[in-house]
Short mmCIF file of all heavy atoms in Angstrom, two decimals:
data_model
loop_
_atom_site.label_atom_id
_atom_site.label_comp_id
_atom_site.label_asym_id
_atom_site.label_seq_id
_atom_site.Cartn_x
_atom_site.Cartn_y
_atom_site.Cartn_z
N ALA A 310 -67.74 -14.66 5.97
CA ALA A 310 -67.19 -14.44 7.31
C ALA A 310 -68.35 -14.12 8.27
O ALA A 310 -68.26 -13.25 9.12
CB ALA A 310 -66.20 -13.34 7.30
N MET A 311 -69.45 -14.83 8.05
CA MET A 311 -70.60 -14.67 8.93
C MET A 311 -71.51 -15.91 8.80
O MET A 311 -71.30 -16.73 7.93
CB MET A 311 -71.44 -13.40 8.53
CG MET A 311 -71.87 -13.30 7.09
SD MET A 311 -72.71 -11.73 6.71
CE MET A 311 -71.36 -10.53 6.75
N HIS A 312 -72.42 -16.06 9.71
CA HIS A 312 -73.36 -17.17 9.61
C HIS A 312 -74.70 -16.77 10.26
O HIS A 312 -74.82 -15.77 10.93
CB HIS A 312 -72.79 -18.44 10.27
CG HIS A 312 -72.77 -18.42 11.77
ND1 HIS A 312 -73.90 -18.70 12.53
CD2 HIS A 312 -71.78 -18.18 12.67
CE1 HIS A 312 -73.57 -18.66 13.84
NE2 HIS A 312 -72.29 -18.32 13.93
N THR A 313 -75.68 -17.65 10.02
CA THR A 313 -76.98 -17.47 10.63
C THR A 313 -77.60 -18.82 10.94
O THR A 313 -76.96 -19.86 10.82
CB THR A 313 -77.91 -16.60 9.75
OG1 THR A 313 -79.06 -16.21 10.50
CG2 THR A 313 -78.36 -17.30 8.50
N PHE A 314 -78.88 -18.86 11.29
CA PHE A 314 -79.56 -20.06 11.73
C PHE A 314 -80.89 -20.22 10.96
O PHE A 314 -81.44 -19.29 10.47
CB PHE A 314 -79.90 -19.97 13.22
CG PHE A 314 -78.69 -19.76 14.08
CD1 PHE A 314 -78.26 -18.47 14.42
CD2 PHE A 314 -77.96 -20.82 14.56
CE1 PHE A 314 -77.14 -18.25 15.21
CE2 PHE A 314 -76.80 -20.62 15.35
CZ PHE A 314 -76.41 -19.33 15.67
N ASP A 315 -81.33 -21.49 10.88
CA ASP A 315 -82.65 -21.79 10.29
C ASP A 315 -83.69 -20.97 11.06
O ASP A 315 -83.51 -20.73 12.29
CB ASP A 315 -83.00 -23.24 10.41
CG ASP A 315 -82.09 -24.15 9.57
OD1 ASP A 315 -81.32 -23.64 8.76
OD2 ASP A 315 -82.21 -25.40 9.74
N LEU A 316 -84.75 -20.58 10.40
CA LEU A 316 -85.76 -19.73 11.06
C LEU A 316 -87.15 -20.06 10.53
O LEU A 316 -87.35 -20.22 9.30
CB LEU A 316 -85.41 -18.23 10.77
CG LEU A 316 -86.15 -17.18 11.58
CD1 LEU A 316 -85.80 -17.27 13.06
CD2 LEU A 316 -85.82 -15.80 11.05
N ALA A 317 -88.11 -20.11 11.43
CA ALA A 317 -89.50 -20.39 11.03
C ALA A 317 -90.18 -19.11 10.52
O ALA A 317 -90.04 -18.04 11.11
CB ALA A 317 -90.30 -20.94 12.20
N GLY A 318 -90.85 -19.21 9.39
CA GLY A 318 -91.57 -18.07 8.85
C GLY A 318 -92.96 -17.95 9.45
O GLY A 318 -93.36 -18.75 10.28
N PRO A 319 -93.71 -16.90 9.02
CA PRO A 319 -95.03 -16.68 9.61
C PRO A 319 -96.01 -17.79 9.29
O PRO A 319 -97.04 -17.96 9.95
CB PRO A 319 -95.47 -15.36 8.95
CG PRO A 319 -94.67 -15.23 7.73
CD PRO A 319 -93.33 -15.89 8.08
N ASP A 320 -95.70 -18.57 8.23
CA ASP A 320 -96.57 -19.74 7.89
C ASP A 320 -96.20 -21.00 8.64
O ASP A 320 -96.78 -22.06 8.41
CB ASP A 320 -96.55 -19.99 6.37
CG ASP A 320 -95.13 -20.23 5.88
OD1 ASP A 320 -94.21 -20.23 6.69
OD2 ASP A 320 -94.96 -20.46 4.66
N GLY A 321 -95.17 -20.89 9.49
CA GLY A 321 -94.71 -22.04 10.20
C GLY A 321 -93.69 -22.90 9.51
O GLY A 321 -93.11 -23.79 10.12
N GLU A 322 -93.42 -22.57 8.27
CA GLU A 322 -92.44 -23.32 7.51
C GLU A 322 -91.01 -22.82 7.84
O GLU A 322 -90.82 -21.62 8.01
CB GLU A 322 -92.69 -23.18 5.99
CG GLU A 322 -93.97 -23.81 5.52
CD GLU A 322 -93.97 -25.31 5.62
OE1 GLU A 322 -92.86 -25.91 5.36
OE2 GLU A 322 -94.99 -25.95 5.93
N THR A 323 -90.08 -23.77 7.94
CA THR A 323 -88.73 -23.40 8.27
C THR A 323 -87.97 -22.97 7.00
O THR A 323 -87.96 -23.66 6.00
CB THR A 323 -87.97 -24.55 8.93
OG1 THR A 323 -88.60 -24.83 10.19
CG2 THR A 323 -86.50 -24.19 9.18
N VAL A 324 -87.30 -21.82 7.04
CA VAL A 324 -86.45 -21.36 5.99
C VAL A 324 -85.03 -21.64 6.44
O VAL A 324 -84.62 -21.29 7.56
CB VAL A 324 -86.63 -19.86 5.74
CG1 VAL A 324 -85.71 -19.39 4.59
CG2 VAL A 324 -88.08 -19.53 5.45
N THR A 325 -84.28 -22.32 5.61
CA THR A 325 -82.89 -22.72 6.02
C THR A 325 -81.98 -21.52 6.12
O THR A 325 -82.21 -20.47 5.48
CB THR A 325 -82.30 -23.75 5.05
OG1 THR A 325 -82.07 -23.11 3.81
CG2 THR A 325 -83.20 -24.93 4.86
N ALA A 326 -80.94 -21.70 6.88
CA ALA A 326 -79.92 -20.63 7.04
C ALA A 326 -79.33 -20.29 5.67
O ALA A 326 -79.04 -19.12 5.37
CB ALA A 326 -78.83 -21.12 7.97
N GLU A 327 -79.13 -21.27 4.84
CA GLU A 327 -78.52 -21.03 3.49
C GLU A 327 -79.50 -20.19 2.64
O GLU A 327 -79.05 -19.28 1.91
CB GLU A 327 -78.26 -22.37 2.79
CG GLU A 327 -77.12 -23.16 3.36
CD GLU A 327 -77.50 -24.00 4.60
OE1 GLU A 327 -78.66 -23.98 4.98
OE2 GLU A 327 -76.60 -24.64 5.16
N GLU A 328 -80.79 -20.48 2.77
CA GLU A 328 -81.75 -19.66 1.99
C GLU A 328 -81.81 -18.19 2.51
O GLU A 328 -81.91 -17.28 1.70
CB GLU A 328 -83.13 -20.32 2.06
CG GLU A 328 -83.26 -21.61 1.34
CD GLU A 328 -84.56 -22.35 1.61
OE1 GLU A 328 -84.99 -22.40 2.78
OE2 GLU A 328 -85.17 -22.88 0.68
N LEU A 329 -81.75 -18.08 3.80
CA LEU A 329 -81.75 -16.74 4.41
C LEU A 329 -80.51 -15.96 3.99
O LEU A 329 -80.60 -14.75 3.69
CB LEU A 329 -81.86 -16.86 5.91
CG LEU A 329 -83.16 -17.38 6.46
CD1 LEU A 329 -83.04 -17.69 7.97
CD2 LEU A 329 -84.31 -16.41 6.26
N THR A 330 -79.38 -16.65 3.96
CA THR A 330 -78.15 -16.01 3.55
C THR A 330 -78.23 -15.55 2.09
O THR A 330 -77.83 -14.41 1.76
CB THR A 330 -76.96 -16.97 3.72
OG1 THR A 330 -76.77 -17.19 5.10
CG2 THR A 330 -75.67 -16.42 3.12
N ARG A 331 -78.77 -16.36 1.23
CA ARG A 331 -78.92 -16.02 -0.16
C ARG A 331 -79.87 -14.82 -0.35
O ARG A 331 -79.61 -13.90 -1.12
CB ARG A 331 -79.44 -17.20 -0.93
CG ARG A 331 -79.57 -16.96 -2.46
CD ARG A 331 -79.75 -18.29 -3.20
NE ARG A 331 -79.81 -18.03 -4.64
CZ ARG A 331 -80.91 -18.12 -5.35
NH1 ARG A 331 -82.06 -18.50 -4.77
NH2 ARG A 331 -80.89 -17.90 -6.63
N ALA A 332 -80.95 -14.79 0.41
CA ALA A 332 -81.87 -13.70 0.38
C ALA A 332 -81.23 -12.40 0.85
O ALA A 332 -81.44 -11.35 0.22
CB ALA A 332 -83.12 -14.02 1.20
N THR A 333 -80.45 -12.49 1.91
CA THR A 333 -79.74 -11.27 2.39
C THR A 333 -78.78 -10.74 1.33
O THR A 333 -78.78 -9.52 1.06
CB THR A 333 -78.96 -11.62 3.68
OG1 THR A 333 -79.91 -11.79 4.77
CG2 THR A 333 -77.99 -10.48 4.06
#
Side-chain angles (χ1 to χ4, degrees):
M311 54 184 73
H312 74 80
T313 191
F314 303 91
D315 294 352
L316 192 64
D320 59 359
E322 294 292 324
T323 296
V324 181
T325 69
E327 290 82 1
E328 291 171 318
L329 292 169
T330 293
R331 184 165 181 252
T333 287

